[in-house]
Amino acid sequence: MNEIEKIKDALKSSNAEKIVAFVRKESEPREVLKVLSPNEVDKISFSPLSLNNPAKLLMQINGKVAVVAKGCDSMAIRQLIKEGKLKRENLFIVGISCKGVVDYRKLAKFVNLSEVNDVELNGNDLVLKLKNGEKRIPFLEVVDENCLYCGHPTPVIYDVLIGEPREGKRDFSDIEQFERLSREERWNYWISQFERCIRCHACRSVCPLCYCEECMVDPSNLAVSPMSTPEEKASYPRILGKTVNARDNTIYHLLRVLHHAGRCVGCGECERACPMELPLRMLERKLEKVVVEIFGYDLNEDIPFFSKLDIVGD
Amino acid sequence: MIYEGEFLKDAISKLLADGYRVFAPSRVGDFHVFREISSAEEADFNYILPRNSAKVAVFPQNEILIEYGDWIERVPMEEKRIAIVGVRACDAKAIKLLDKHFLEGFVDPYYKSRREKLLTIAIACNNALINCFCQSLGINPRKPEADVVVSEIDGRVFVSADTEIGKSFLQGFNLRNENEEELEIKKRFESEELKMREIRVDVEKLKKSFDSPYWKEVAINCKSCGVCTYLCPTCFCFDIYDEGEKRGVRIRTWDSCQFPLHTLESSSHNPRAEKWQRLRNRFYDKFYYTLRKGNYYCVGCGRCIDFCPAGIDIVNAISEVR
């Protein structure tokens, strides 16, 4: 029985009211997330092009949900449970031991995507079934770079596990290498990156942990009510405007990332979503390194990082 | 007419020498963005579609409307001429659509100050991307609407101008007339359709489907980010606010109808509080509301499909409306 059949069987056994799973997009080889009813289970698909993290989608569904989750997806689900945003008893998690996903933009350089019918991982090669024939690409050349540093390829929480468990690793070698640059070099690097940002806020919007209804980068509307005077409305708190330049964009990204301290699960959705290809994972990984090395916190602990800081403070 | 050499690069050098502000595709890592350049070397034409659209040249993401102190101290207006070099048929068409929005009826003086001094140099498409669908919206990717059009066919560079400003710009170049064979080649090139996706728009159906649960289904995975609107060549929504209490600037910035705060009223009421309402609004704005201006406001560039982090696809969403 192949992987997809196993996933379908597991989903069928779940008795969930809704299914959150990957479905092949029309006209492109990648999968997208859909919310399905149990009788639509045969629509589902799964491949190294099942890129996205379903955790955020779960928060908007009531009742019992079955979900297909890779290692990092399960990390996000566990974190949301930890933070009281999801209930474990409402979830049926079909965990998939993940070998890494493809960087879709890299893949597009190797092949005309509209020619690709199917994609599968075979040993160290990504096998593309084309309209005419087959093409093999070494997986390492098209793998999402983020997956090379994956700490949890095997789901950390699941009801059914598909595939053999795989070892993760903790590797900050890339960050250490960057830290060796001078302060000026690092600053110039980041400014040249942030300069490009168009502030579409996709990195925030796709992040499974960015669930606040009101975000500090938006003009806060807490202060505005029907009774607010024009002066109050004109001077409501605002940390950042919508102006786009290297300076404001830097504030945006640093503020955004700091809210993920001890929380970021490393799924890479932020970087994947960025239309300007900013190296956003590098920021998150630096933060993760600080959390591990300076605060001695491990994401696998039951207590959230910020709560732990409170206890230490008392 | 035929040009021997790299027309686009030579055009940029001439434009810069003539004092134009030049916007052209420039390489960033593995992709291209339209941005202002200061030398021909910064431009790179090895691309099909830049990540962002050419609208940045006429409708910048931020602009200062007034500088104020005790009173209005300065109203900055564009003084230089602007050129967009290397624009594709979709983005060129989009500028015509922005013109309708900003110049018909209420005239936006800031937009006008840039637009009336604009020169567009377009490049015909040899290939389509996976999510291109301009042909089904009546655009010929091989015959862009611009002041100057460049087509590179089998190693020959064809250059033509349809407007006065385009014709007078070309006078500075050493061009020769096409021979009959070349005329035939160009004609064939322009009439050949590219293989690309097709959108089926049924306005009557759209009208009837406004309250359909379909939109909730389409939007279920929408993240309410601004990728689709910010990359869109025809999206024109903006926000205006002041920075600085006693002294400061009044700024106009792009805004996105996908952001919940876009429609939040000061009464606290939000007419489009739910993300499916906002996504539906964008689709209707492209294919129904804007018909009062006489056009669909979608040019089929496919950027919103390529870069939607949730994989929402305007071609499927509109074609399958129910």
Side-chain angles (χ1 to χ4, degrees):
Chain A
M1 195 157 53
N2 72 21
E3 201 176 30
I4 296 177
E5 293 306 319
K6 284 182 193 159
I7 297 170
K8 283 181 188 169
D9 271 7
L11 289 170
K12 280 178 191 159
S13 73
S14 71
N15 292 323
E17 296 152 45
K18 291 278 177 211
I19 292 167
V20 172
F22 295 93
V23 174
R24 179 67 180 278
K25 190 176 180 301
E26 287 170 57
S27 77
E28 274 182 68
R30 66 176 160 149
E31 272 91 26
V32 292
L33 285 165
K34 294 268 185 211
V35 181
L36 305 169
S37 54
N39 58 18
E40 295 175 297
V41 75
D42 284 326
K43 289 187 183 172
I44 74 140
S45 176
F46 189 85
S47 82
L49 291 178
S50 298
L51 311 171
N52 299 110
N53 185 334
K56 196 159 199 175
L57 198 44
L58 296 176
M59 279 189 279
Q60 64 183 52
I61 303 169
N62 296 321
K64 179 108 178 162
V65 197
V67 57
V68 177
K70 305 179 289 292
C72 52
D73 304 340
S74 77
M75 291 279 286
I77 292 169
R78 186 182 65 177
Q79 187 66 21
L80 290 171
I81 293 169
K82 224 193 268 187
E83 296 181 11
K85 287 287 162 187
L86 290 175
K87 288 201 174 77
R88 178 67 182 96
E89 60 271 26
N90 284 346
L91 300 173
F92 183 89
I93 302 167
V94 179
I96 298 185
S97 180
C98 178
K99 297 175 186 128
V101 296
V102 165
D103 181 328
Y104 201 53
R105 290 167 189 168
K106 275 190 200 163
L107 183 65
K109 279 175 225 146
F110 282 86
V111 62
N112 179 354
L113 291 173
S114 55
E115 300 284 309
V116 181
N117 280 340
D118 240 326
V119 175
E120 65 173 38
L121 200 56
N122 189 332
N124 293 327
D125 284 346
L126 189 72
V127 182
L128 308 173
K129 305 260 162 66
L130 304 177
K131 292 213 168 102
N132 350 310
E134 202 180 87
K135 189 179 166 100
R136 295 175 89 92
I137 304 172
F139 188 49
L140 268 178
E141 293 193 24
V142 288
V143 70
D144 191 322
E145 198 186 332
N146 188 37
C147 298
L148 300 176
Y149 302 103
C150 180
H152 300 86
T154 307
V156 291
I157 174 174
Y158 57 81
D159 294 282
V160 175
L161 179 67
I162 291 170
E164 290 303 309
R166 305 165 70 83
E167 278 295 309
K169 57 179 170 189
R170 178 172 278 168
D171 176 3
F172 291 119
S173 54
D174 56 328
I175 305 293
E176 279 156 11
Q177 199 182 339
F178 191 75
E179 283 168 343
R180 284 196 282 273
L181 298 176
S182 72
R183 187 153 69 170
E184 201 185 358
E185 285 170 313
R186 282 177 283 143
W187 176 256
N188 291 341
Y189 172 79
W190 282 111
I191 290 296
S192 75
Q193 299 294 327
F194 290 146
E195 217 168 42
R196 209 162 65 227
C197 170
I198 56 170
R199 292 275 290 286
C200 61
H201 293 176
C203 47
R204 174 198 67 182
S205 302
V206 298
C207 177
L209 300 177
C210 275
Y211 48 67
C212 297
E213 300 237 336
E214 288 174 345
C215 176
M216 46 86 220
V217 303
D218 291 324
S220 165
N221 53 7
L222 285 168
V224 179
S225 76
M227 307 306 287
S228 308
T229 63
E231 286 74 24
E232 282 168 337
K233 284 174 192 164
S235 59
Y236 56 56
R238 189 176 60 213
I239 296 172
L240 265 176
K242 287 200 184 79
T243 38
V244 172
N245 52 50
R247 192 183 53 180
D248 285 8
N249 298 348
T250 304
I251 306 263
Y252 163 69
H253 285 289
L254 294 186
L255 281 176
R256 185 182 64 77
V257 159
L258 279 174
H259 287 87
H260 302 155
R263 302 174 65 227
C264 175
V265 297
C267 64
E269 283 284 77
C270 47
E271 202 167 294
R272 203 171 290 128
C274 181
M276 291 294 144
E277 302 190 13
L278 266 56
L280 299 172
R281 277 294 292 144
M282 203 164 148
L283 282 180
E284 302 274 6
R285 284 170 43 70
K286 165 70 186 178
L287 191 68
E288 189 190 338
K289 184 165 176 280
V290 169
V291 166
V292 170
E293 289 176 358
I294 298 180
F295 293 90
Y297 181 78
D298 187 300
L299 216 51
N300 292 315
E301 292 180 38
D302 286 336
I303 184 165
F305 176 59
F306 290 138
S307 315
K308 193 175 177 188
L309 289 183
D310 283 349
I311 297 167
V312 175
D314 285 344
Chain B
M1 285 190 281
I2 305 276
Y3 186 73
E4 308 287 343
E6 282 191 85
F7 180 80
L8 293 170
K9 293 244 169 174
D10 294 346
I12 291 174
S13 302
K14 178 164 166 33
L15 288 162
L16 288 168
D18 289 352
Y20 276 87
R21 292 179 64 197
V22 178
F23 288 79
S26 157
R27 203 184 179 89
V28 179
D30 287 332
F31 61 99
H32 290 77
V33 291
F34 264 116
R35 61 180 175 197
E36 189 170 0
I37 57 167
S38 50
S39 73
E41 289 77 62
E42 282 175 58
D44 181 76
F45 294 101
N46 186 20
Y47 70 101
I48 294 182
L49 201 60
R51 225 20 97 76
N52 60 347
S53 86
K55 77 177 173 186
V56 290
V58 281
F59 177 44
Q61 188 162 7
N62 321 137
E63 71 177 307
I64 293 174
L65 300 182
I66 55 175
E67 292 172 10
Y68 57 81
D70 292 335
W71 188 235
I72 296 174
E73 292 186 345
R74 204 169 80 90
V75 180
M77 286 277 173
E78 184 57 57
E79 282 159 5
K80 286 193 169 177
R81 290 180 293 178
I82 296 178
I84 306 176
V85 182
V87 65
R88 296 284 180 190
C90 48
D91 282 8
K93 172 75 178 178
I95 289 171
K96 306 254 171 201
L97 297 174
L98 291 177
D99 288 350
K100 287 196 170 205
H101 178 70
F102 285 112
L103 301 177
E104 286 180 13
F106 179 81
V107 176
D108 183 314
Y110 298 91
Y111 182 86
K112 187 164 172 256
S113 73
R114 290 182 287 266
R115 184 60 179 94
E116 60 191 8
K117 298 189 279 278
L118 183 72
L119 173 74
T120 49
I121 302 182
I123 177 162
C125 293
N126 290 319
N127 297 301
L129 290 171
I130 186 169
N131 285 316
C132 285
F133 60 101
C134 67
Q135 284 171 171
S136 53
L137 292 166
I139 293 169
N140 183 348
R142 304 196 139 179
K143 219 179 162 186
E145 292 178 52
D147 297 313
V148 177
V149 176
V150 179
S151 333
E152 294 174 353
I153 315 166
D154 304 332
R156 287 195 190 85
V157 183
F158 291 76
V159 183
S160 62
D162 290 332
T163 64
E164 284 313 309
I165 173 172
K167 282 176 188 155
S168 79
F169 177 71
L170 285 190
Q171 279 170 5
F173 289 88
N174 198 2
L175 298 160
R176 69 162 171 85
N177 285 327
E178 297 100 334
N179 60 33
E180 271 190 25
E181 187 206 347
E182 285 163 340
L183 280 174
E184 194 51 42
I185 289 174
K186 180 148 190 245
K187 211 169 136 194
R188 196 165 357 117
F189 175 79
E190 283 174 358
S191 62
E192 250 171 25
E193 284 211 349
L194 287 172
K195 195 168 158 268
M196 60 169 73
R197 294 183 71 189
E198 279 177 35
I199 190 167
R200 294 185 309 277
V201 190
D202 183 339
V203 176
E204 287 308 311
K205 221 170 176 186
L206 270 178
K207 273 192 213 173
K208 284 188 216 125
S209 314
F210 188 78
D211 291 316
S212 165
Y214 175 71
W215 300 111
K216 284 190 189 173
E217 210 179 288
V218 173
I220 190 142
N221 199 16
C222 174
K223 309 290 188 208
S224 288
C225 71
V227 166
C228 49
T229 49
Y230 281 10
L231 298 186
C232 178
T234 68
C235 271
F236 47 64
C237 284
F238 57 81
D239 191 10
I240 295 179
Y241 65 93
D242 294 347
E243 259 184 19
E245 263 186 55
K246 301 270 189 254
R247 304 190 62 77
V249 285
R250 175 159 296 171
I251 299 175
R252 158 156 75 183
T253 64
W254 289 357
D255 198 3
S256 169
C257 59
Q258 303 307 304
F259 296 154
L261 292 179
H262 180 71
T263 44
L264 182 71
E265 297 168 6
S266 48
S267 66
S268 307
H269 172 61
N270 192 342
R272 294 199 288 267
E274 303 294 330
K275 64 180 183 180
W276 60 271
Q277 296 171 316
R278 297 192 289 272
L279 191 69
R280 177 183 66 184
N281 177 72
R282 179 164 190 272
F283 290 154
Y284 275 66
D285 217 11
K286 296 291 153 204
F287 293 104
Y288 177 40
Y289 302 151
T290 41
L291 285 178
R292 68 176 187 273
K293 301 185 215 281
N295 291 82
Y296 295 142
Y297 264 57
C298 173
V299 293
C301 70
R303 289 181 178 98
C304 62
I305 309 174
D306 281 338
F307 299 103
C308 174
I312 294 170
D313 187 318
I314 196 168
V315 172
N316 292 344
I318 295 293
S319 303
E320 289 158 24
V321 64
R322 54 176 198 271

